[in-house]
């Protein structure tokens, strides 16, 4: 083990150097830095190489070709950074190399997972007794929770979907809003519930499902609501959706990948009204909790539905009355994601989570104010951490988005909102300061001016 000390110290030094440099480096890599990744390829080496040399190559060629999303001025998609304590915990957990699927293979992994689920249920105001599963992200969280939904609604109709599959099953009505996230449609696809047979409910100007347009429901039914539209940040009227759906015995699932975190911030929690009435929820930790990739959670009000949906047993698996993590999630062997979630929550506390969410929301409002002040069109009500802005016609807007990415001060992506090209700004990182917002805003406005009146 002589080598491994030096190797791990070198990795720590290199990581620190990377993170030290991230505040001032350009956010997107230069094309030549991406091209230099070719150094990592070539034919498979015939013989061994020194680990120190391999690590050096990885750092020299790899680090410059990263996107600085761990830094303070990345506003693409919905992407959190990593709170320092969560990265440190992640390093330690890497050394532990635990298989968190079973209590017997990782007592600490199982314990931290259970604690993390309990604390999240508390801080998000979900019903006491809600169970959960730790998965890779909100896509798998939606999949996992909807598997529990499928079990419950078909079970109530006398059909054992785990045993018999969907062949010959009673038809299940699945309702989504017109602004449903694509990952939820993928989850429905994987569950055999079909992407195109869903009932789509129209959305309003902010992308919220129109509750008054919900169809009459009878028989097995699942209604998928959304907390946090990926473009506008808007919330479906979850209270009205739950009232309508529950009157017909339907299941309500909430895709709350990033928006559900608003429930933890007293000044934003009005947006999530009714969310605790739902039956299941999907959440990302790698977005707004700012833990390293990958980390998401599925929550199910009645954990027995989740357990039935994932039911498995084998003679070589221990039969215990403890909470075995693998009995609640689609995977068996997996990393101990509870470690970083625990470290984040143990460090931030209730107040720190609220503060993180609230601060990013205020920074989004600061962006919106600066853009409006300069005469540009902010296309959404900035209620959360998302801002969409147009710089004129679609071609100009697309030119500004490309220009901002090339400029490198910050990174913002593009989208289309109600047929109109827009730039998206998502403020989701613990590392972003108001100064970063001002510096980014100045860069965006400079690029926009250059793109609109070429002199
Ligand atoms: C990001 C997002 C997802 C997908 O999450 P992943 O972590 O990328 O799997 C699902 N729904 C919404 C609303 C999202 O914002």
């Amino acid at each position: 083990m002589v080598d491994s000390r030096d190797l791990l110290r070198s990795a720590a030094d290199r990581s620190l150097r990377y993170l030290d440099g991230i505040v001032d480096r350009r956010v997107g890599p230069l094309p030549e830095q991406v091209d230099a990744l070719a150094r990592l390829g070539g034919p498979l080496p015939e013989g061994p190489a020194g680990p120190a040399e391999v690590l050096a190559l990885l750092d020299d060629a790899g680090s410059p070709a990263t996107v600085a999303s761990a830094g303070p001025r990345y506003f693409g998609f919905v992407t959190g950074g990593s709170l320092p304590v969560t990265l440190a915990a992640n390093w330690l957990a890497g050394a532990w190399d635990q298989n968190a699927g079973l209590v017997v293979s990782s007592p600490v992994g199982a314990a931290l997972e259970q604690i993390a689920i309990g604390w999240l249920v508390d801080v998000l105001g979900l019903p006491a007794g809600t169970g959960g599963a730790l998965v890779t992200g909100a896509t798998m969280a939606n999949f996992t929770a909807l598997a529990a939904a499928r079990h419950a609604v078909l079970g109530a109709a006398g059909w054992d979907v785990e045993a018999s599959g969907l062949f010959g099953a009673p038809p299940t009505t699945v309702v989504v809003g017109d602004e449903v996230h694509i990952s939820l449609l993928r989850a429905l696809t994987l569950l055999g519930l079909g992407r195109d047979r869903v009932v789509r409910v129209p959305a309003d100007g902010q992308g919220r499902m129109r509750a008054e347009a919900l169809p009459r429901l009878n028989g097995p039914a699942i209604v998928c609501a959304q907390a946090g539209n990926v473009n506008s940040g808007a919330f479906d009227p979850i209270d009205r959706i739950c009232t309508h759906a529950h009157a017909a015995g339907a299941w309500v699932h909430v895709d709350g990948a990033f928006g559900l975190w608003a429930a933890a911030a007293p000044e934003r929690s009005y947006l999530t009204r009714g969310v605790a009435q739902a039956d299941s929820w999907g959440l990302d930790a790698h977005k707004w909790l700012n833990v390293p990739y990958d980390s998401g959670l599925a929550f199910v009000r009645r954990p027995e539905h989740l357990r039935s949906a994932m039911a498995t047993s084998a003679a070589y698996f221990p039969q215990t009355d403890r909470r075995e993590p693998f009995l609640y999630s689609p995977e068996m062997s997996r990393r101990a994601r509870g470690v970083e979630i625990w470290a984040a929550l143990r460090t931030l506390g209730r107040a720190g989570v609220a503060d993180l969410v609230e601060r990013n929301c205020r920074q989004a409002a600061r962006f919106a104010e600066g853009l409006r002040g300069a005469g540009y069109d902010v296309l959404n009500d900035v209620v959360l951490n998302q801002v969409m802005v147009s710089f004129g016609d679609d071609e100009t807007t697309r030119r500004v988005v490309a220009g901002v990415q090339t400029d490198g001060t910050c990174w913002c992506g593009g989208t289309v909102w109600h047929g109109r090209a827009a730039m998206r700004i998502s403020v989701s990182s613990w590392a972003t300061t108001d100064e970063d917002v001002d510096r980014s805003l100045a860069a965006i406005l400079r690029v926009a001016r250059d793109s609109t009146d070429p002199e």
Side-chain angles (χ1 to χ4, degrees):
M1 299 290 279
V2 196
D3 258 347
S4 65
R5 265 170 199 282
D6 288 344
L7 199 60
L8 294 177
R9 286 217 178 86
S10 167
D13 288 343
R14 290 173 187 281
S15 304
L16 294 177
R17 206 178 311 140
Y18 177 79
L19 292 174
D20 280 344
I22 211 165
V23 175
D24 291 313
R25 67 163 262 192
R26 45 176 297 115
V27 178
L30 292 165
E32 53 268 35
Q33 294 172 317
V34 176
D35 291 345
L37 288 172
R39 287 172 64 200
L40 300 176
L44 171 70
E46 291 301 331
E53 189 190 313
V54 171
L55 189 69
L57 174 62
L58 182 63
D59 187 22
D60 296 346
S63 293
T66 55
V67 170
S69 49
R73 291 185 306 281
Y74 183 78
F75 306 110
F77 307 97
V78 185
T79 305
S82 296
L83 290 161
V85 72
T86 67
L87 176 59
N90 174 277
W91 286 353
L92 187 58
W96 291 349
D97 189 26
Q98 297 287 279
N99 182 344
L102 292 163
V103 176
V104 75
S105 63
S106 183
V108 63
L112 289 175
E113 166 162 337
Q114 203 165 353
I115 295 166
I117 289 170
W119 285 355
L120 286 173
V121 164
D122 179 357
V123 78
L124 298 170
L126 301 181
T130 293
L134 273 58
V135 293
T136 47
T139 304
M140 280 311 287
N142 287 331
F143 170 84
T144 303
L146 288 167
R150 189 181 69 161
H151 167 84
V153 301
L154 283 170
W159 187 264
D160 181 347
V161 69
E162 285 74 36
S164 308
L166 285 169
F167 304 98
T172 301
T173 307
V174 180
V175 180
V176 302
D178 239 347
E179 280 282 333
V180 61
H181 193 272
I182 49 162
S183 72
L184 195 129
L185 296 176
R186 179 187 286 174
L188 293 173
T189 310
L190 294 174
L191 287 164
L193 294 170
R195 188 177 49 218
D196 292 342
R197 63 179 290 285
V198 296
V199 179
R200 295 184 82 109
V201 177
D204 68 11
Q206 296 297 319
R208 295 174 290 230
M209 193 194 288
R210 291 186 185 276
E212 71 277 10
L214 277 163
R216 277 170 72 85
L217 300 167
N218 51 49
I222 301 168
V223 180
C224 302
Q226 183 163 263
N229 178 291
V230 77
N231 283 315
S232 69
F235 289 67
D236 287 349
I238 297 167
D239 50 349
R240 292 179 60 197
I241 293 169
C242 286
T243 304
H244 179 93
H246 287 160
W251 178 289
V252 179
H253 171 71
V254 177
D255 176 4
F258 64 99
L260 190 54
W261 290 105
E267 289 165 73
R268 305 285 155 175
S269 59
Y270 74 94
L271 292 165
T272 65
R273 196 172 305 131
V275 82
Q277 293 165 41
D279 301 286
S280 61
W281 304 263
L283 178 74
D284 262 321
H286 59 221
K287 286 180 180 166
W288 228 340
L289 190 60
N290 280 259
V291 303
Y293 282 98
D294 44 28
S295 189
L297 296 103
F299 294 102
V300 178
R301 173 193 289 271
R302 292 178 54 194
E304 64 270 24
H305 291 313
L306 184 53
R307 202 180 148 135
S308 300
M310 300 296 155
T312 343
S313 68
Y316 72 97
F317 280 7
Q319 304 295 313
T320 68
D321 49 14
R322 293 175 300 210
R323 180 188 179 281
E324 294 293 344
F326 87 99
L327 291 175
Y328 294 85
S329 69
E331 292 120 349
M332 296 216 170
S333 300
R334 58 188 165 84
R335 73 184 196 91
R337 295 192 180 87
V339 175
E340 302 109 1
I341 298 172
W342 174 88
L345 296 173
R346 184 72 178 76
T347 311
L348 294 171
R350 196 185 303 278
V353 177
D355 187 59
L356 174 59
V357 170
E358 185 56 35
R359 187 168 71 238
N360 284 164
C361 291
R362 277 201 308 266
Q363 289 168 334
R366 194 180 178 97
F367 265 118
E369 208 173 296
L371 292 161
R372 268 198 215 101
Y376 299 113
D377 255 358
V378 172
L379 304 184
N380 62 315
D381 294 343
V382 181
V383 293
L384 200 68
N385 63 331
Q386 304 293 118
V387 183
M388 277 184 293
V389 57
S390 157
F391 296 94
D393 59 31
D394 287 0
E395 203 202 309
T396 305
T397 298
R398 279 194 278 269
R399 204 163 50 228
V400 175
V401 172
V404 165
Q405 293 175 2
T406 305
D407 169 76
T409 307
C410 65
W411 201 98
C412 304
T415 190
V416 175
W417 184 248
H418 296 176
R420 201 168 164 197
M423 188 173 85
R424 278 176 89 251
I425 302 172
S426 174
V427 193
S428 319
S429 175
W430 70 278
T432 303
T433 63
D434 289 356
E435 218 165 56
D436 288 308
V437 172
D438 294 344
R439 192 168 149 193
S440 303
L441 197 51
I444 293 168
L445 295 179
R446 174 166 37 77
V447 170
R449 269 193 308 271
D450 293 351
S451 313
T452 43
D453 52 28
E455 288 165 70

